[in-house]
């Protein structure tokens, strides 16, 4: 039926014989089957490739995960199958974000309040995550701030606030999770640095210094932990 319909449509002027059209239609059908099979194989390959990044059974902890880039990272980890704990200064914000992520992706989540500049808070967020999920496999040091201005107009408190949040907070987070990661022989630490670590702009001395320090710390820690199956990037 399809062949007859196509033959009538494309042969209105009587330029093709039945044999000619059979050859043309057969060639088109063969090409379509080959294209379909290739697309199917590519789709299977892509599915296989993506499956390598599944995180089922893993536990991720994302600082500053209630909004912005941290929220997107937390969602991606949940979508990949990980259980996700996320922190914010506001407990209500953290819990609301965790609930929304759990509802959207069907993952187990936990919202925590933490000031990453406080050693006690960082130790507690790791302990609370471990108590809920049994471990911390992945740490994402995302929390950070930026205070801009000419150096002569920035206060020492401005400097301390940025460096403590961006660099000290990441160092405290790493220090808190490394023992359990080394003991299990597996761990992933992701420190969010910035292009400002290498290519800076005016009026950003605290931020650039903090991110430059984070990049250097990351390189050092990656060498320190590689033998234990823990990667730091």
């Amino acid at each position: 039926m399809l062949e007859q319909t196509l033959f009538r449509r494309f042969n209105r002027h009587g330029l093709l014989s039945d044999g000619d059209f059979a050859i043309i239609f057969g060639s088109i059908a063969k090409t379509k089957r080959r294209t379909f099979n290739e697309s199917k194989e590519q789709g299977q390959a892509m599915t296989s490739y993506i499956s390598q990044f599944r995180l089922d059974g893993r536990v991720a902890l994302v600082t500053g995960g209630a909004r912005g880039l941290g929220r997107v990272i937390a969602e991606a980890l949940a979508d990949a199958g990980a259980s996700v704990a996320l922190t914010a200064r506001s407990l209500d914000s953290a819990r609301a974000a965790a609930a929304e992520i759990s509802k959207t992706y069907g993952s187990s989540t936990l919202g925590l309040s933490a000031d990453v500049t406080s050693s006690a808070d960082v130790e507690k967020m790791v302990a609370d995550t471990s108590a809920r999920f049994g471990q911390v496999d992945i740490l994402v040091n995302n929390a950070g701030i930026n205070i801009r201005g000419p150096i002569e107009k920035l206060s020492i408190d401005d400097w301390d606030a940025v460096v403590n949040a961006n660099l000290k907070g990441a160092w405290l987070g790493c220090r808190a999770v490394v023992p359990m990661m080394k003991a299990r022989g597996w761990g992933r630490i992701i420190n969010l640095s910035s292009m400002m670590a290498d290519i800076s702009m005016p009026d950003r001395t605290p931020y650039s210094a903090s991110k430059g320090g984070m990049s250097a710390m990351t390189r050092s820690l990656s060498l320190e932990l590689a033998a234990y199956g823990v990667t730091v990037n």
Side-chain angles (χ1 to χ4, degrees):
M1 178 66 70
L2 177 62
E3 290 89 341
Q4 293 174 356
T5 301
L6 290 173
F7 180 74
R8 287 196 300 270
R9 179 172 297 179
F10 289 102
N11 199 35
R12 286 175 295 178
H13 302 290
L15 299 177
L16 296 175
S17 66
D18 290 350
D20 292 333
F21 185 77
I23 294 173
I24 295 172
F25 184 81
S27 177
I28 293 173
K30 184 177 180 181
T31 300
K32 290 183 68 177
R33 284 195 300 271
R34 184 171 65 248
T35 302
F36 173 79
N37 290 334
E38 289 174 352
S39 298
K40 184 177 180 181
E41 291 171 0
Q42 290 172 355
Q44 291 172 341
M46 181 60 70
T47 300
S48 176
Y49 178 74
I50 292 174
S51 69
Q52 297 179 43
F53 293 89
R54 293 294 303 172
L55 296 171
D56 302 281
R58 299 295 185 184
V59 178
L61 172 57
V62 184
T63 65
R67 60 188 179 88
L69 182 58
R71 172 66 178 265
V72 174
I73 292 170
E75 290 177 351
L77 290 165
D79 192 25
S83 298
V84 178
L86 60 88
T87 74
R89 285 182 176 269
S90 164
L91 181 58
D92 289 342
S93 296
R95 286 177 172 173
E100 290 170 5
I101 291 172
S102 179
K103 181 178 180 180
T104 301
Y105 300 100
S107 58
S108 297
T109 60
L110 176 65
L112 299 168
S113 173
D115 174 1
V116 296
T117 70
S118 164
S119 176
D121 274 19
V122 171
E123 294 288 344
K124 186 176 186 303
M125 78 179 185
V126 171
D128 288 347
T129 302
S130 298
R132 172 69 177 274
F133 299 120
Q135 62 201 41
V136 176
D137 299 299
I138 303 163
L139 170 66
V140 181
N141 283 311
N142 165 75
I145 63 172
N146 187 7
I147 300 176
R148 306 172 183 175
I151 191 169
E152 71 274 14
K153 293 185 178 181
L154 291 171
S155 67
I156 293 174
D157 287 342
D158 291 334
W159 169 272
D160 288 345
V162 175
V163 173
N164 286 344
N166 297 358
L167 182 55
K168 179 185 176 183
W171 185 83
L172 289 173
C174 293
R175 188 181 69 161
V177 301
V178 160
M180 68 177 72
M181 290 182 176
K182 288 173 70 173
R184 289 198 310 276
W186 198 95
R188 300 291 181 265
I189 297 174
I190 299 98
N191 295 325
L192 270 70
S193 186
S194 166
M195 63 177 288
M196 294 295 175
D198 301 304
I199 304 173
S200 195
M201 297 176 67
D203 302 335
R204 289 165 174 80
T205 51
Y207 187 81
S208 294
S210 70
K211 292 302 184 179
M214 176 179 276
S215 294
M217 179 187 72
T218 299
R219 290 191 294 270
S220 177
L221 197 57
S222 67
L223 297 173
E224 180 179 329
L225 299 178
Y228 297 94
V230 180
T231 64
V232 188
N233 294 282

